[in-house]
Amino acid sequence: MIGTEDKPLRVAIVGSGPAGFYTAEHILKHEGTHAEVDMFDRLCTPYGLVRFGVAPDHPKIKSVIRVYEKTAARPEFRFFGNVEVGRDITVDELRERYHAVVFAYGTSTDRQLGIPGEDLPGSHPATELVNWYNAHPDFADHDFDLSVKRAVVIGNGNVAADVARMLALTREELSETDTADHAIEAFSGGNVKEILVLGRRGPAQAAFTNPEVRELGEMVNADIDIDAGEMELDEISREWLDSDDADPTNRRNVEIFTDFSGREPEGKAPKISLRFLRSPIEIQGDGKVERIVVGRNELQRGDDGRIRAVDTGERETIECGMVLRSIGYKGVPVEGIPFDERAGTIANEGGRVKDDGSQVPGLYAVGWIKRGPSGVIGTNKKDAQETVDHLFQDLEAGAVPDAELAADRGAVETLLNERKPDHVTFEGWQAIDAA
C-alpha cells in the first residue's frame, strides 16, 4: 500500500518557491503517511519569488526562508536545482518515478499592454527590473537607462510600489539592503527626478497593501504627490467602499492617499506621483521611449455588477524616458500538461489537474500556476493545504497511480547523473550561497 514505511508516497514538486515549500511541508507532516519529496527547479537557487521577487529592502518578508530551510533539512526531502522539467527531464519520466507530481512553478511571464510602442527600448516589464536588482541570473546582463528624468510605472499593485520605491532610494538606503551591487551603482548614478505611477481605476480600487502605500510616503529623500482632485471619489467608489465588496485594506488605502494629497511638498527629489483613472494608449519615441499617451477613465458598473474603468476619450501626453509595465503575470505551459491559455494557468480544479474536465491521475498544481497571480506569500500555505488534502483524498481512494519506478528512490538521481550531472543539491546550494 502506498504511504507505508515499506512503500512511501513519493512526490515530485516542480518549482521551489513558497507554494512548493508549503506543499512539501504539508506532505511530510501528514499524520499516518510515510512520504518522500523531491523538489526540482530550473535555477540552482531555491525560494522563487521570495529570493527574486521580494524587494531587497524588505528583509522581514524574506525571513520566511528559515521556515523552508527546516523542511529542506528533513531526510525525506531532496532538492534538484539546475534541472528544467520539460528539457532535462520530461513530465512522463517524472510520472514513471513518482506517485504524484505537483506543479508549483508560478507565473513567469508578464501580461502585455497590447498598445503601439510597447516594445520600444526603454519600455520594460517591471519584473525585469525586479529580477535585475535582485540578481536573478537570467537578468544579470540587462541594461536600464536610469539617466532619464521621468519614469512611468503602469499598475497599482505591490510590484509597482516596489519599483517606484527602489528608483527613489538613496545609495545609503540601498547599501543596507541585499540589492545587487550592479543595481546599487546604477540607481545611485541615475538621474530620475519623478516616478509617475498610473492606475487604471480609482484610488478606492488600488491593489496596494497598506504597508506598501505607507512606505511611499516615508522616503528619506523623495516627496509623495497626489493631487487633491484625485481624491474626490465618484459615487460608484463611495458606494463600493461602504459595501461588503470592499475590505479594510481598500478603505485604509483611501485614508492614506487622502493624507498624502494634503501634504505640502518638501522639495525632495525624486518625487513619486500617484495618478488614478489613467490607462496607457500609446508609447511614442524615435527609436526609444520619449513620451506616453494616456487616456482618462471613468468608473461604470456593468450589468454583472462589476466596476469597470471606461475610456472617456480624453487624452494626455506625458514626456518620459522609461516605462515599467506592472499589470500582472501569466504562466507558461509545460509539455504534456493541460493548460488554460486564457487564464495562463494549468487547467485544474482545487489543485487536481484536469484534461477536458476529467482528472489526470497523479498530477496536481499549487500556487500561482494553479490559481493565477494573487495573494501574498502566506496565501500559498492555505492554497497548498487544499491541493495536498486532495492528494491524500485521492491516495485514500486508491486513485493515485502506483508508478513503475517509484519504489526506487535513486531512479531519478541515476537519470540526472547521466543526463544532467551538474544538477545542484540543497547542500550544494548552501555552499554556493555561503560563497
Side-chain angles (χ1 to χ4, degrees):
M1 180 179 176
I2 301 172
T4 63
E5 189 172 358
D6 293 333
K7 192 174 186 178
L9 170 70
R10 301 206 62 245
V11 181
I13 298 176
V14 181
S16 66
F21 268 98
Y22 286 129
T23 300
E25 178 186 358
H26 292 323
I27 290 171
L28 295 176
K29 287 185 175 180
H30 191 271
E31 193 172 343
T33 302
H34 291 271
E36 295 171 348
V37 169
D38 288 349
M39 182 175 284
F40 299 83
D41 201 286
R42 181 178 67 85
L43 301 177
C44 65
T45 57
Y47 310 134
L49 282 180
V50 174
R51 183 172 181 85
F52 295 117
V54 173
D57 60 335
H58 285 171
K60 287 184 179 179
I61 297 176
K62 293 193 175 190
S63 66
V64 72
I65 285 174
R66 291 196 290 268
V67 175
Y68 308 151
E69 288 174 336
K70 291 179 180 178
T71 298
R74 297 176 66 115
E76 308 91 346
F77 176 93
R78 296 187 301 182
F79 174 73
F80 295 98
N82 197 33
V83 175
E84 184 173 351
V85 173
R87 183 192 67 185
D88 302 318
I89 187 169
T90 68
V91 172
D92 285 342
E93 288 170 334
L94 289 178
R95 298 182 75 181
E96 291 171 354
R97 290 162 175 79
Y98 296 91
H99 299 112
V101 182
V102 182
F103 298 95
Y105 61 86
T107 52
S108 58
T109 61
D110 291 80
R111 294 190 180 276
Q112 293 191 308
L113 295 169
I115 62 173
E118 183 171 11
D119 296 325
L120 277 172
S123 172
H124 312 272
T127 50
E128 287 189 358
L129 184 71
V130 172
N131 283 312
W132 172 76
Y133 62 61
N134 274 317
H136 191 297
D138 289 352
F139 297 87
D141 296 329
H142 271 49
D143 183 42
F144 297 89
D145 183 4
L146 299 175
S147 67
V148 303
K149 291 186 178 180
R150 178 183 287 131
V152 173
V153 181
I154 300 169
N156 264 188
N158 284 351
V159 173
D162 282 345
V163 297
R165 193 178 64 255
M166 290 294 293
L167 286 167
L169 289 173
T170 64
R171 176 185 282 272
E172 291 71 27
E173 289 174 300
L174 288 167
S175 65
E176 296 175 358
T177 72
D178 63 352
T179 304
D181 290 344
H182 62 257
I184 292 177
E185 290 304 314
F187 282 136
S188 301
N191 191 43
V192 179
K193 296 294 188 287
E194 183 181 15
I195 303 107
L196 180 59
V197 183
L198 304 180
R200 178 172 55 90
R201 296 187 294 173
Q205 294 83 28
F208 306 115
T209 57
N210 299 153
E212 291 276 355
V213 173
R214 283 195 297 268
E215 283 183 302
L216 293 177
E218 297 170 353
M219 306 292 293
V220 170
N221 199 39
D223 273 338
I224 185 73
D225 174 62
I226 299 179
D227 190 286
E230 299 270 352
M231 299 312 301
E232 295 176 2
L233 301 184
D234 58 281
E235 185 178 351
I236 289 176
S237 291
R238 292 195 302 270
E239 291 177 351
W240 183 75
L241 283 176
D242 290 336
S243 72
D244 293 336
D245 292 332
D247 61 33
T249 297
N250 301 113
R251 299 184 183 100
R252 181 59 183 144
N253 276 348
V254 170
E255 293 174 1
I256 299 170
F257 293 146
T258 302
D259 171 65
F260 289 168
S261 71
R263 293 187 184 183
E264 289 293 328
E266 298 180 28
K268 297 177 182 178
K271 175 175 67 174
I272 300 174
S273 301
L274 271 61
R275 299 290 181 264
F276 303 99
L277 294 171
R278 308 300 207 281
S279 288
I281 302 299
E282 183 179 1
I283 300 171
Q284 300 175 341
D286 184 9
K288 63 178 182 178
V289 172
E290 294 178 342
R291 70 194 72 87
I292 184 170
V293 179
V294 301
R296 292 295 299 264
N297 300 326
E298 65 179 12
L299 297 182
Q300 295 181 8
R301 192 179 289 277
D303 294 337
D304 57 1
R306 296 179 61 186
I307 297 174
R308 292 180 172 83
V310 178
D311 186 2
T312 64
E314 185 180 344
R315 298 289 181 263
E316 177 184 3
T317 300
I318 301 168
E319 301 295 321
C320 64
M322 175 187 285
V323 174
L324 296 168
R325 315 182 304 268
S326 181
I327 59 168
Y329 308 87
K330 63 182 299 186
V332 295
V334 170
E335 186 176 352
I337 303 301
F339 196 76
D340 183 337
E341 291 287 352
R342 184 187 61 80
T345 59
I346 289 174
N348 77 96
E349 186 176 319
R352 291 181 171 111
V353 173
K354 294 292 186 80
D355 188 8
D356 288 332
S358 299
Q359 182 178 349
V360 182
L363 297 188
Y364 301 86
V366 70
W368 282 8
I369 199 62
K370 165 189 171 184
R371 69 180 189 274
S374 63
V376 294
I377 289 172
T379 307
N380 293 292
K381 187 167 188 176
K382 183 178 179 181
D383 180 274
Q385 187 67 68
E386 178 188 50
T387 295
V388 171
D389 285 346
H390 287 161
L391 165 58
F392 280 107
Q393 287 172 17
D394 294 343
L395 179 64
E396 188 175 344
V400 172
D402 193 351
E404 180 181 354
L405 300 176
D408 180 7
R409 195 184 189 200
V412 72
E413 199 163 15
T414 299
L415 178 64
L416 290 178
N417 283 335
E418 296 172 355
R419 189 177 296 170
K420 191 72 174 178
D422 56 348
H423 69 265
V424 178
T425 65
F426 197 79
E427 293 75 16
W429 151 247
Q430 289 177 312
I432 292 170
D433 196 33

